[in-house]
Amino acid sequence: MANLDSVFHCLSDPTRRAVIAQLTKGPAPVSELARPHDMALPSFLKHLKVLETGGWIESRKAGRVRTCRLKPDAAEAAGRWLDQQRTLWEARLDRLDAFVTSLDDERTNR
């Protein structure tokens, strides 16, 4: 699995996010993935390279057609990290809520 920095770097660009979204529907040839994007093919291929290096996609060549497919590992790594952050922040917010409630209770009891 790719490292977490690389996983999130892949998500930092709208073109790469669009490719990931497109690949959630199933494998697709590079030409089909590139079609909706207004850029030269070499520029688009750089985005695919970033996604492949980041662990989001893999590609296979059959004849003259290169087909890409999504790999679930990168999304799982990002999801695990986000779940950890959510748990951490929910606990912090719960403690803050308890503190504010105790202050409000003190003020009401005066």
Side-chain angles (χ1 to χ4, degrees):
M1 182 192 67
N3 82 37
L4 203 52
D5 291 342
S6 182
V7 167
F8 281 108
H9 171 68
C10 291
L11 296 176
S12 70
D13 183 87
T15 299
R16 294 191 290 267
R17 290 191 304 269
V19 169
I20 291 168
Q22 193 171 352
L23 289 173
T24 62
K25 299 171 189 167
V30 170
S31 59
E32 185 180 316
L33 292 170
R35 191 173 300 125
H37 304 284
D38 187 26
M39 65 179 68
L41 187 59
S43 297
F44 183 76
L45 291 174
K46 289 179 184 178
H47 286 289
L48 293 183
K49 181 68 175 168
V50 170
L51 288 170
E52 201 158 11
T53 301
W56 281 94
I57 67 169
E58 65 182 3
S59 64
R60 291 207 168 92
K61 191 170 183 178
R64 295 179 50 183
V65 178
R66 180 166 293 282
T67 301
C68 298
R69 77 170 188 87
L70 205 52
K71 292 174 60 179
D73 292 352
E76 290 171 6
R80 280 192 305 274
W81 184 85
L82 290 169
D83 287 342
Q84 291 169 349
Q85 295 305 305
R86 183 181 308 109
T87 301
L88 173 73
W89 282 100
E90 284 174 352
R92 288 177 178 174
L93 290 172
D94 288 346
R95 287 193 304 270
L96 177 61
D97 181 54
F99 176 71
V100 170
T101 300
S102 72
L103 290 178
D104 191 41
D105 290 345
E106 283 179 21
R107 197 180 86 199
T108 301
N109 291 333
R110 285 187 201 172

